[in-house]
Amino acid sequence: ITLSFEVENAENMTVSIYSLTGQKILENNISAKSGLNQKIINVENLETGVYILKLKSSLGFVTKTLSIK
């Protein structure tokens, strides 16, 4: 998947993917530059299903539902 997000200042962030039961499936540390960012996250090893994607920065975090078909 391609993850697109915008940040004010350059910083290191963490992208995590969890199963619906809360088990951490994947975690990647990424370096974000100031402005618009696009990062590719390899999910080819994930089984078909619904997951929770969490993007964490120094200011907090955002969660989104991720559907793998």
Side-chain angles (χ1 to χ4, degrees):
I1 63 168
T2 301
L3 185 62
S4 297
F5 58 95
E6 193 168 347
V7 293
E8 257 186 58
N9 300 307
E11 66 176 297
N12 293 323
M13 303 177 80
T14 304
V15 176
S16 304
I17 296 178
Y18 296 87
S19 69
L20 291 180
T21 60
Q23 179 184 6
K24 188 185 296 181
I25 306 295
L26 178 144
E27 184 171 271
N28 285 337
N29 293 316
I30 58 174
S31 295
K33 62 180 175 26
S34 178
L36 182 63
N37 291 266
Q38 289 190 332
K39 301 293 181 181
I40 295 173
I41 306 297
N42 183 353
V43 294
E44 68 183 29
N45 292 329
L46 295 182
E47 295 181 15
T48 299
V50 178
Y51 298 87
I52 302 298
L53 184 141
K54 182 177 180 180
L55 179 62
K56 184 178 176 186
S57 74
S58 62
L59 299 175
F61 63 90
V62 174
T63 58
K64 298 287 182 184
T65 303
L66 173 64
S67 181
I68 303 294
K69 297 180 181 183

